Amino acid sequence: MRWHQKGLKEVVEDLRTSLQGLPTEEARRRLEEYGPNELKEGKKKTLLGRFLDQFKDFMIIVLMAAAVIAGVMGEVNSIIAIVVIIILNAIIGFIQEYRAEKAMAALKMMAAPFATVLRDGHHKTLPASELVPGDIVLLEAGRIVPADLRLLESSQLKVEEAALTGESVPAEKMTVQLHEEMIPLGDRRNMAYKGTVVSYGRGKGVVVGTGMETELGRIATMLQTEEEVKTPLQKRLARFGQRLAIAVIALCVIIFAVGIMRGETPILMLLTAISLAVAAIPEALPAVVTISLALGARKMVGQNALIRKLPAVETLGSVTYICTDKTGTLTLNKMTVEEIYVDGLLTPALSLTERVEEGAAPFTGMIDETQERRLKPAATATTADSPINCLMMAMALSNDAARDANGNLIGDPTETALLVAAEKAGFDKKVWEESHPRVAEIPFDSDRKMMTTFHKDLSGGYTSFTKGGVEVLLGRSRDMACSLGTKAILAEDILGVSERMAADGLRVLALGMRKWDLIPAETTSEAVENGLTLLGFVGIMDPPREEAKESVSLCKSAGIKTVMITGDHPITARTIAKRIGIIDDDGEEVITGTHLERLPMDEFERKVEEIRVYARVAPEQKLKIVKALQDKGQFVAMTGDGVNDAPALKRADIGVAMGITGTDVSKEAAHMILLDDNFATIVKAVKEGRRIFDNIRSFIKYTMTSNSGEIWSILLAPFLGLPIPLLPIHILWINLVTDGLPGLALAAEDADKGIMKRPPRHPQESIFAHGLGISIIWVGLLMGGVTLFTQAWAIRTGHSHWQTMAFTVLCLSQMGHVLAIRSEKESLFTLGIFSNRPLIGAVILTFALQMATIYVPFLQPIFKTESLTFGELVFALAMSSVVFIAVEIEKYFKRRSR
């Protein structure tokens, strides 16, 4: 039911209530009918059920199968390693899901605990949960609105609705009937919504919605029904695990069959096939992924990005669209005076401030030299006779904003903007109030759209200052201040300037004054707010952050499209979008929430990839935008700070909440929190996400190439007339030691140069794309070939230690390989051999352990090795370097082709 479209009488009649409130008995009956005014939670999973869900991932199932096989073989070390990895991943996943449940709890915390209502004609304070439709609720400053209300009375009532609408300025409320049906929440000025906060004034409203039937309840419903989507890494690893399991089974069958045909004993071939099955599965992969993400998350905290859900770290690297809120993320979230019009001239406020900071009299940049000589220093609080000084005095004195004991601004955002501009121009409010104390006032209200204050001046008379909308003050002014005194008002010219400022997204406010010998007996609007001298007007807006333009440009070079979604007005949204480079010209379409609501989904999906700015949108529309982009195959990052953003944050591939201005609800629903509310931080996080995915790809390349080398060695040996070069213990040792430490150390690799100059990975792109699969095959084949060549050479030349040599060459070839693949294109010597110290340490440790298996006497019978002669060791080391040299040559040709 569209309550904002109904008149007061119709609302009261439809709800079967009266202005005296409901009878107690009727309220009790309605409570039974409608239920308590509380948000209901959906069915919860048990803690055990949530923990067991962590073992459903296909890669984890493959690992568990590997653990069973290792158990059959009696490989205790492998079992322990695999089980530890599985449990660690399960615990991390469980904690993340458990924390996500808190979003609903945070939403419930927004509800008001108590409400003041009229029951049986008397005021009563009762738990807000007992409110029912038809109750009459009293509102006053500081109170949380306890239910959705249609306002019946409004006395200068302002409500802070940023959490629901994204509007940065408190909404001025009224009671008049609104006739348009499709109207955004932020424009429903005759409504007050559950969970919002009264910031000023008083009011009275009738309850039209409670519990899950409120706007807050609708958001709660969306939170409960909206499922999180899997991250690109989770999708890729799931596909990878499935294909790998099929390939491993096929290979094991082939190797077992070939060995039997070759005449090997069935038990040896069974053990070899099973060993290869364990070796081919990169059980360290989940650990490497977890460690990479954890290290990335730790690094990102230093860059003001707090990661709540670990997979989100990598997801950032896949993002193709960043849908960002305007207020506080792209802008400063601080209303600021941008332009000032006075004495016939329009000037940026910044240039005026710079003049004052340089020690000159204020505003000399705007006026001629004659007037500059007449200007008095503003801070002396003497008579201010020039238009500019009068305007500044009006901005400072006719103002309810102030600074607290710590110098922090308190008050309405518009008034704090005027106060700061006056202060920067040298007009200290405290100084001027001493000589021009306020003696009377007519407060602002939304019907008049003005406020007036009276001040005693040094001549013994009084001055009134009035501020309000330009058109309103024009109709009440008789002349306009100028450097020569006053002049006639040219309304058409003045409105033209005002409209130009408004077209630039500025909120335009006019200021006027009037001199009085005595304060009038009746300080009413009709008696006081007429016959004004118009001083000028100011243009106010929440300006863009300086770094936002650079960050949007960086996104463009990285192939990421930035989309602004705001609850603000279309004109303001377009202005900010143009200033920071989201759109390039006025021809690009800005879609409003009303337009979006009327747009069929199929037509919207055809256009969604081209739209860059949305204004006046509702919560479910943010969700609609995210889903439409995802349906087109895009990976979406969505920023938000309000309750209204929570469902979209949860649904997005990466939900980003604001740490400073964000509600608890948005933070709990998000994957990542910006500690500085800055768009630039998202871009840094995207770079980090790309680095992490590159490092995970490097690990997969490394471990799968190593496994491929082992498989080729065992598979090809029989066809070349050679015995099986490796025993099961050798395979498991290589798998445990060489795949482990060096692979984990790849997680510490720095980002490649130009990482933000390449487009995002395609959402459907395989983890083996860009030649990774081919590299695994040819380098693995080379590794296996070098191992078999070493074996053949040793057998032909009569070296009895051929198996130990082959074992050593295969192990150390992998060390050369891990050093070569630190970057896909840059040479190791360009990167610096010691620039990744953990990796160098891991390589040295692996080398030392391999030497121990060869030369430590008590390890030789365990690993079935023999001590190599110096010549054999040198030959093995030389053959081990072949893979490193070959990969470096490949990278050289890649650089040449680039």
Side-chain angles (χ1 to χ4, degrees), residues 339-610:
E339 291 184 336
I340 293 176
Y341 177 76
V342 65
D343 203 5
L345 292 169
L346 183 66
T347 300
L350 184 62
S351 65
L352 312 180
T353 303
E354 286 170 350
R355 286 287 298 172
V356 174
E357 287 173 352
E358 290 168 8
F363 315 115
T364 52
M366 297 175 60
I367 54 181
D368 60 31
E369 292 182 8
T370 307
Q371 185 173 343
E372 182 176 349
R373 285 195 295 272
R374 295 210 317 268
L375 277 170
K376 300 178 177 72
T380 60
T382 55
T383 305
D385 54 359
S386 72
I388 304 163
N389 277 5
C390 287
L391 181 68
M392 287 297 115
M393 191 164 71
M395 288 164 60
L397 291 175
S398 186
N399 195 322
D400 290 329
R403 290 188 182 274
D404 62 18
N406 298 318
N408 300 315
L409 288 165
I410 49 175
D412 179 85
T414 300
E415 297 214 310
T416 58
L418 296 175
L419 181 64
V420 169
E423 287 176 347
K424 287 184 175 180
F427 283 74
D428 187 321
K429 182 180 178 180
K430 284 187 177 179
V431 173
W432 279 89
E433 279 183 331
E434 289 174 7
S435 58
H436 295 71
R438 185 186 298 191
V439 292
E441 65 182 286
I442 307 175
F444 178 88
D445 69 54
S446 52
D447 294 327
R448 287 173 28 252
K449 293 184 171 58
M450 289 184 293
M451 77 168 279
T452 297
T453 57
F454 280 85
H455 300 267
K456 191 172 178 63
D457 58 38
L458 297 176
S459 64
Y462 297 89
T463 303
S464 65
F465 293 111
T466 301
K467 69 181 180 205
V470 174
E471 290 186 10
V472 176
L473 255 70
L474 266 181
R476 293 172 177 259
S477 298
R478 66 183 181 191
D479 53 26
M480 185 168 185
C482 67
S483 54
L484 301 176
T486 59
K487 64 180 181 181
I489 293 176
L490 298 174
E492 190 176 330
D493 292 349
I494 289 173
L495 285 173
V497 175
S498 171
E499 286 166 6
R500 205 280 294 154
M501 292 170 74
D504 285 343
L506 298 174
R507 183 183 179 191
V508 187
L509 202 63
L511 294 102
M513 65 178 286
R514 184 175 173 182
K515 292 284 186 178
W516 303 83
D517 294 325
L518 296 169
I519 298 177
E522 284 188 48
T523 53
T524 61
S525 177
E526 293 74 18
V528 172
E529 294 171 335
N530 281 300
L532 303 174
T533 296
L534 187 65
L535 297 172
F537 38 86
V538 295
I540 303 169
M541 79 180 311
D542 179 14
R545 290 176 179 267
E546 287 183 17
E547 61 272 29
K549 187 172 184 178
E550 183 184 344
S551 298
V552 169
S553 175
L554 190 58
C555 281
K556 283 183 179 177
S557 68
I560 301 167
K561 296 179 174 67
T562 306
V563 177
M564 179 197 290
I565 304 177
T566 178
D568 228 330
H569 287 280
I571 293 173
T572 308
R574 181 187 292 279
T575 300
I576 296 294
K578 277 184 68 178
R579 283 176 64 170
I580 62 178
I582 291 177
I583 58 176
D584 298 321
D585 56 61
D586 291 326
E588 294 193 50
E589 191 175 12
V590 174
I591 298 291
T592 63
T594 305
H595 184 181
L596 189 57
E597 193 166 341
R598 292 174 178 147
L599 205 60
M601 192 65 181
D602 57 343
E603 186 181 341
F604 177 51
E605 286 195 356
R606 285 197 300 272
K607 301 173 68 174
V608 68
E609 290 177 299
E610 305 306 318

Side-chain angles (χ1 to χ4, degrees), residues 872-889:
E872 289 171 338
L873 181 61
V874 169
F875 184 81
L877 291 173
M879 295 307 295
S880 301
S881 64
V882 169
V883 170
F884 172 79
I885 293 167
V887 174
E888 283 291 335
I889 290 171

